[in-house]
Amino acid sequence: MSAAFDRDQSAGFLINHLARIFANALAVEIRPLGLAPGQFMVLLELWREEGQTQRSLTARLDVEQATMANTLARMERDGLIVRRPHPEDGRAQSVWLTEKARALEGPATAAATAVNGRLLRRLPASSRAAFLE
């Protein structure tokens, strides 16, 4: 008889579980801002560097092309982004933030910081640092 799988000793299980806990907590915190976690990921990339293409965002965030297309369509509908022709590639479009999205950077990142702080507060500072390494 084989040994039972111990999920508490499985890095894969624990990381996946932790990711779901963080994602759900973030969703609750940013919902009042009119944002979903998928949109927040895109905004983080665009706050860092505007004018990226859909292809670049898809690669940087490691999501499916169809998922990114749907997310960007929703963000455009919600007035968070605008798409403009790419200056060097006539087939591509660049994604740019609207003033509405720029105004959300402070509140959205503060919400994410609060979630991280709340969910990691039981870990000693040295353990938090090791975890983030």
Side-chain angles (χ1 to χ4, degrees):
M1 180 176 219
S2 65
F5 180 78
D6 185 356
R7 68 183 195 180
D8 293 335
Q9 296 301 308
S10 168
F13 176 86
L14 293 171
I15 290 169
N16 183 281
H17 185 66
L18 187 60
R20 286 195 319 268
I21 290 169
F22 272 80
N24 289 337
L26 178 65
V28 168
E29 290 293 323
I30 63 175
R31 187 174 301 127
L33 301 174
L35 297 174
Q39 293 173 315
F40 181 67
M41 289 187 340
V42 172
L43 288 172
L44 284 173
E45 284 300 319
L46 292 173
W47 288 326
R48 181 183 300 165
E49 181 184 352
E50 281 192 76
Q52 296 182 59
T53 63
Q54 179 174 318
R55 179 179 298 221
S56 171
L57 289 166
T58 298
R60 287 183 181 200
L61 295 171
D62 193 26
V63 297
E64 296 292 324
Q65 183 71 21
T67 300
M68 182 58 68
N70 289 335
T71 300
L72 291 177
R74 181 175 174 193
M75 292 176 76
E76 193 168 35
R77 180 201 70 203
D78 293 347
L80 297 171
I81 62 160
V82 293
R83 297 186 234 202
R84 299 182 188 133
H86 192 276
E88 299 164 10
D89 182 351
R91 299 167 295 159
Q93 292 185 319
S94 300
V95 181
W96 297 88
L97 296 168
T98 63
E99 288 303 317
K100 177 180 178 178
R102 285 187 192 98
L104 289 172
E105 183 176 7
T109 56
T113 299
V115 166
N116 279 288
R118 189 171 68 247
L119 294 179
L120 295 176
R121 75 174 171 246
R122 290 185 180 168
L123 288 177
S126 61
S127 295
R128 281 194 303 267
F131 174 72
L132 293 173
E133 276 184 40

